[in-house]
Amino acid sequence: MKLSKNFSLNEFTKSQTATRHSIDNTPSMTVILNLTSLCEGVLQPVRNNFMKPMVISSGFRCEELNTKIGGSKTSQHILGQAADIEVLGVSNLELSDWIHNNLNYDQLILEFYNEKKGPHSGWVHVSFDKTNNKHEYKEAYKNEQGQTRYRLK
């Protein structure tokens, strides 16, 4: 099922963890509509701008899958409103900055980017809520105790 010109539903539901644990990660029609909005509002414009393939490392997660991987109980992945992405050949810092400067989004997180480890370290989490986008841009990092922390970018 196509969600936009360059994105299919399978890209958002495929999960090695779900397969390994026999978890049915099939989204509802409401979730499919949210994924379509995410594609139309953010992911397709990113693809159109950079003209390069995008890797979706995490898309939709049913509640059982989200629990299995230790995701937040309020994760927008459960609603089909979020994806963790990278664009081949584009640094994650450049990608997140471009989204921030050019698109409407709810939450944008540059996750665990480390310039010393190279431009492709980490990944970009982006969410889109067609009813209430907060345009919140943050960076995730590990503190000295190894705990995940967030700071505004």
Side-chain angles (χ1 to χ4, degrees), residues 3 14 19 22 31 43 47 53 77 82 90 92 102 113 152:
L3 301 176
K14 185 177 179 181
T19 301
S22 300
V31 168
L43 304 183
R47 175 72 166 80
H77 287 276
V90 177
N92 289 320
N102 294 281
Y113 177 80
L152 292 175

Side-chain angles (χ1 to χ4, degrees), residues 15-25 62 64-65 68:
S15 165
Q16 292 177 353
T17 302
T19 301
R20 199 174 303 121
H21 296 281
S22 300
I23 297 171
D24 181 5
N25 197 39
C62 67
E64 183 180 0
L65 176 59
K68 182 61 99 177

